[in-house]
Amino acid sequence: MVSTALHQLQVRGVTFLAPETNYVAPDVNPDRIASGVVIHPGCRLSGAELAIGPGCVIGAEAPATVSDCQLGAEVRLAGGFFDRATFLDDVKAGSGAHVRPGCLLEEKATIAHSVGIKQTVFMPWVTAGSLINFCDALVAGGTSSKDHSEIGSSYVHFNFTPHRDKATAVLFGDVPRGVLLNQPPIFLGGQGGMVGPCAIAYGTVIPAGQIWRGDITVPGHLVAKPAFRAPIDMPYNARCYPAIKRVIRSNLRYIGNIAALDMWYRVVRARFMLADPYSVACYAGARLRLAEILDERMSRLDELAHKVEQSLACVPDATAADEHRAFVDGWPALKSTLTAWLGARECATVPEAVQAVVTALPSADYLRAIQSLSVAATQTLTGWLEQAVACVLNAGNWSLIR
């Protein structure tokens, strides 16, 4: 028997190829699903925040569960599980996908079959192969669908430490330059992995089979190194942290970049995403995803502070002990400062020079419009976003992260 919600969608012009096999939850708002959307057999739709734009196809390769997601135009979700994620125009996901909350995939980003992501941002054209586990990351870089950042098949971001924390987010590229869509792509070879937290420069090429640890700060380099130079067999206490200065700075840099991306949506993206109800839903969804990521990163730092406090009883190294104490003592004030700054960003004044650039933009074809900006305009926008990142890194004038 066809449910009332499913029947309402049929009346609107949504095509269910085998309606007796589909489930549409009562909380789905039919007005948020575009006419012409195609739903293949076995799919389930739910959530009051669900929005599906024109030309979308769901479940073409396998049944798909889609809950409280926002889809722009021409999105293809071939099969799998999709929950509280936002997909802008022309995004494609292969079957077996496992896309959990906090994910934002921008225009023309692609994941192949059996990819798991959570709390992750792919900027335009970013492409991930198959059999990938890639959570807690932002990936930028690339200028087109033929010049894109690539995550090779069987790649893993190792985002859980032996200390049982997840203060491990990885920044591939950055937001202040990445949003301008003019940076060299990043290439992560297949059958490899990344141990966070770290930051990877534009133009980096890491060959297949590498497990990478640490930052890459010089752009345009091919990098590889042995995993370990000698065998390791030694006592180890997972409760005891080593020096943490780099970890703290990496986390603050990541928070600053996510905050900068939210500013970009509020000031620049809004010009392109308020023309129709499906774009409006994607705009709201994207900003909600970024807010969720910020909340997640702050909670992970809070968790880290508690674990580092426990580590003080066993840390043997004096330098590490000093960093531990500085973090434990300074975190409450830093947390308060960051929370206040993040809470006030919605009302932050936009510099006149930035507003002038935005006002001169057209209100259609986002990718083309951004890539057509002059050098002077891109410098203005990048400088504005870099200031946001710097505000987080300099929050509270905390000496530990200098």
Side-chain angles (χ1 to χ4, degrees):
M1 180 178 178
V2 174
S3 69
T4 299
L6 192 152
H7 177 69
Q8 290 176 324
L9 291 178
Q10 287 179 313
V11 171
R12 279 183 59 83
V14 175
T15 298
F16 291 88
L17 298 181
E20 67 279 4
T21 71
N22 297 122
Y23 172 71
V24 179
D27 58 356
V28 170
N29 182 350
D31 293 337
R32 292 170 66 89
I33 315 298
S35 173
V37 167
V38 177
I39 310 295
H40 283 261
C43 294
R44 295 181 287 177
L45 308 179
S46 64
E49 297 303 315
L50 180 67
I52 305 178
C56 291
V57 179
I58 310 297
E61 297 177 2
T65 296
V66 186
S67 177
D68 274 325
C69 293
Q70 299 78 43
L71 282 62
E74 305 293 337
V75 174
R76 303 287 195 271
L77 304 182
F81 177 79
F82 308 87
D83 182 27
R84 285 181 288 159
T86 302
F87 308 87
L88 304 189
D89 295 355
D90 295 304
V91 168
K92 294 180 174 59
S95 60
H98 195 240
V99 179
R100 290 182 283 167
C103 290
L104 169 59
L105 276 64
E106 296 189 332
E107 289 89 349
K108 301 181 186 295
T110 301
I111 60 176
H113 73 270
S114 302
V115 173
I117 54 176
K118 174 178 65 70
Q119 295 283 327
T120 289
V121 177
F122 284 177
M123 297 181 76
W125 304 295
V126 170
T127 299
S130 305
L131 306 170
I132 287 170
N133 189 344
F134 202 85
C135 303
D136 302 324
L138 180 144
V139 187
T143 60
S144 72
S145 58
K146 294 184 178 180
D147 179 48
H148 57 77
S149 287
E150 171 84 15
I151 304 164
S153 293
S154 300
Y155 204 89
V156 177
H157 171 215
F158 300 103
N159 67 331
F160 185 68
T161 76
H163 311 293
R164 294 170 176 79
D165 73 74
K166 287 191 175 181
T168 52
V170 176
L171 196 60
F172 296 90
D174 64 5
V175 167
R177 291 174 295 164
V179 292
L180 277 306
L181 309 178
N182 60 3
Q183 294 299 306
I186 294 166
F187 183 90
L188 307 176
Q191 201 69 40
M194 181 71 58
V195 180
C198 51
I200 307 301
Y202 287 112
T204 293
V205 174
I206 302 178
Q210 278 280 302
I211 305 298
W212 190 266
R213 297 167 174 83
D215 297 339
I216 300 173
T217 58
V218 181
H221 274 224
L222 169 67
V223 295
K225 57 185 177 182
F228 299 102
R229 296 178 181 176
I232 298 174
D233 185 356
M234 58 185 288
Y236 184 78
N237 183 352
R239 292 184 57 199
C240 189
Y241 278 81
I244 58 168
K245 181 175 182 177
R246 178 181 163 276
V247 172
I248 305 306
R249 186 170 179 81
S250 293
N251 276 267
L252 294 178
R253 180 172 52 211
Y254 194 88
I255 289 171
N257 274 267
I258 296 297
L261 185 56
D262 183 68
M263 288 171 50
W264 180 259
Y265 268 83
R266 180 172 71 90
V267 176
V268 180
R269 280 279 195 171
R271 187 169 181 84
F272 299 86
M273 298 183 72
L274 302 179
D276 62 76
Y278 312 107
S279 296
V280 170
C282 283
Y283 173 77
R287 296 204 62 197
L288 180 59
R289 303 290 83 84
L290 296 172
E292 290 168 349
I293 293 171
L294 287 171
D295 287 345
E296 173 77 4
R297 289 301 103 209
M298 290 292 290
S299 70
R300 294 302 183 183
L301 274 179
D302 207 35
E303 176 187 51
L304 181 66
H306 289 296
K307 289 182 176 292
V308 168
E309 185 174 19
Q310 296 171 353
S311 177
L312 276 168
C314 61
V315 62
D317 179 80
T319 299
D322 289 343
E323 292 183 7
H324 285 38
R325 291 190 188 93
F327 179 43
V328 171
D329 293 344
W331 171 242
L334 178 59
K335 178 182 177 182
S336 178
T337 299
L338 286 174
T339 300
W341 185 84
L342 291 171
R345 70 188 188 281
E346 189 70 29
C347 302
T349 302
V350 180
E352 290 184 6
V354 171
Q355 191 60 61
V357 172
V358 175
T359 301
L361 287 168
S363 58
D365 200 343
Y366 169 78
L367 300 181
R368 183 187 296 271
I370 296 303
Q371 290 190 311
S372 298
L373 287 168
S374 68
V375 172
T378 61
Q379 290 174 343
T380 295
L381 296 174
T382 294
W384 166 58
L385 296 175
E386 284 177 337
Q387 286 180 352
V389 177
C391 280
V392 174
L393 283 171
N394 297 327
N397 194 31
W398 195 31
S399 61
L400 174 60
I401 60 171
R402 296 294 175 266

